[in-house]
Amino acid sequence: MKKNLVIAIDGYSSCGKSTLAKALAKKLGFIYVDSGAMYRAVTLYFLRNNIDVSDDSAVADALQHIELNFHSRDYESHITLNGEEVSDEIRLMPVSQNVSEVSAHKIVRHEMVKQQQRMGKSKSIVMDGRDIGTTVFPNSPLKFFMTADPKIRAERRFKELESKGNNQTTLEEVFENLAHRDYADTTRKESPLVRADDAIILDNTNLTQDEQLAFAIGRVEPLLDR
Ligand code: DC
């Protein structure tokens, strides 16, 4: 039997990780897993239920009441929180502004990593996030570390929000939020965002989506047994 392959994509906020991951998954017939959506959905639950992140036992207890599931439709990844579709709500500012704090929590990370590792056990997947190549799948044979100019990243995320009808957030707010999350993600104690030694750097500031996909496919092909 062919062994399953896990492709790990890490990098800064809003630098096109999910776009590349989705395109790769589609091209290869793999499952796409958006690990950030899991941290976002947990954050949404904490906000709705007023969970105090500094209270470890409240956090541990809350996690027992959270069930996350992914549903793939046309390679768009949809996430449900206790059966409710929350894919759009988790992208809005209240979640974006609180997700760094929630995702820095040791107990939260421990639980999410456990669930993510289970997903890659028997299936070929492309998973994007911040610690996929370093912590979740350190033995993955193919890791990408994505980066791009922060201004370009903010513009891309701003346009994405606008296209979904969100006109309440300014470009400056998006830029500030990205800068804040980059700082929090790279400096936190629990599995901070760092490039795995064996991760391939992909700076897509000046690359089209097709160029990025071609670059990535070029690295995947030697690993596929045909
Ligand atoms: O990929 P994203 O921007 O939707 O992720 C939201 C937040 O979740 C991000 O600010 C950091 C956190 N995150 C994480 O800590 N580890 C991951 N594997 C994925 C996301």
Side-chain angles (χ1 to χ4, degrees):
M1 209 175 76
K2 244 190 342 187
K3 212 183 146 343
N4 59 308
L5 176 64
V6 173
I7 300 175
I9 302 184
D10 290 301
Y12 296 98
S13 293
S14 294
C15 61
K17 297 186 297 296
S18 68
T19 305
L20 176 63
K22 266 182 239 172
L24 258 181
K26 188 170 182 176
K27 182 105 185 163
L28 298 167
F30 287 13
I31 291 169
Y32 164 56
V33 183
D34 174 357
S35 70
M38 299 170 70
Y39 291 98
R40 286 176 178 271
V42 169
T43 303
L44 180 61
Y45 182 91
F46 282 17
L47 286 173
R48 284 178 176 178
N49 294 280
N50 295 314
I51 306 297
D52 177 1
V53 190
S54 63
D55 180 346
D56 284 358
S57 67
V59 167
D61 182 62
L63 287 169
Q64 301 295 311
H65 295 96
I66 295 178
E67 192 188 322
L68 304 176
N69 280 299
F70 282 104
H71 303 273
S72 184
R73 236 181 288 139
D74 302 329
Y75 288 90
E76 282 301 321
S77 164
H78 294 265
I79 190 164
T80 57
L81 167 62
N82 296 333
E84 177 192 348
E85 161 78 56
V86 291
S87 308
D88 288 337
E89 193 172 351
I90 59 169
R91 303 282 154 209
L92 301 180
M93 276 321 231
V95 169
S96 294
Q97 277 159 350
N98 288 280
V99 69
S100 297
E101 195 185 359
V102 173
S103 63
H105 202 291
K106 192 176 177 170
I107 304 173
V108 174
R109 298 208 73 79
H110 188 259
E111 180 56 34
M112 294 303 111
V113 169
K114 203 168 73 186
Q115 295 189 17
Q116 289 152 8
Q117 287 174 334
R118 217 179 289 140
M119 294 178 203
K121 249 203 163 101
S122 54
K123 296 192 178 99
S124 287
I125 63 173
V126 185
M127 188 178 288
D128 71 339
R130 305 293 188 290
D131 61 340
I132 311 306
T134 51
T135 305
V136 185
F137 295 110
N139 297 325
S140 156
L142 187 59
K143 303 173 184 175
F144 293 101
F145 188 85
M146 292 182 68
T147 178
D149 182 300
K151 275 201 198 121
I152 301 281
R153 288 194 273 140
E155 278 163 21
R156 287 177 187 159
R157 179 53 65 106
F158 179 69
K159 280 189 194 137
E160 188 189 332
L161 282 168
E162 257 191 342
S163 73
K164 289 189 175 149
N166 180 340
N167 301 314
Q168 281 133 30
T169 312
T170 65
L171 178 59
E172 287 68 35
E173 281 170 331
V174 173
F175 184 86
E176 287 305 317
N177 177 255
L178 291 187
H180 167 72
R181 287 200 289 138
D182 285 351
Y183 179 77
D185 292 345
T186 50
T187 57
R188 71 179 174 219
K189 228 169 88 211
E190 291 299 322
S191 45
L193 170 66
V194 283
R195 181 177 80 86
D197 290 341
D198 53 348
I200 300 160
I201 295 178
L202 176 51
D203 182 335
N204 67 14
T205 306
N206 297 308
L207 293 180
T208 64
Q209 291 177 9
D210 285 347
E211 286 167 338
Q212 294 169 58
L213 179 61
F215 175 86
I217 288 290
R219 302 302 179 111
V220 181
E221 265 168 355
L223 301 176
L224 299 172
D225 20 290
R226 305 225 171 248

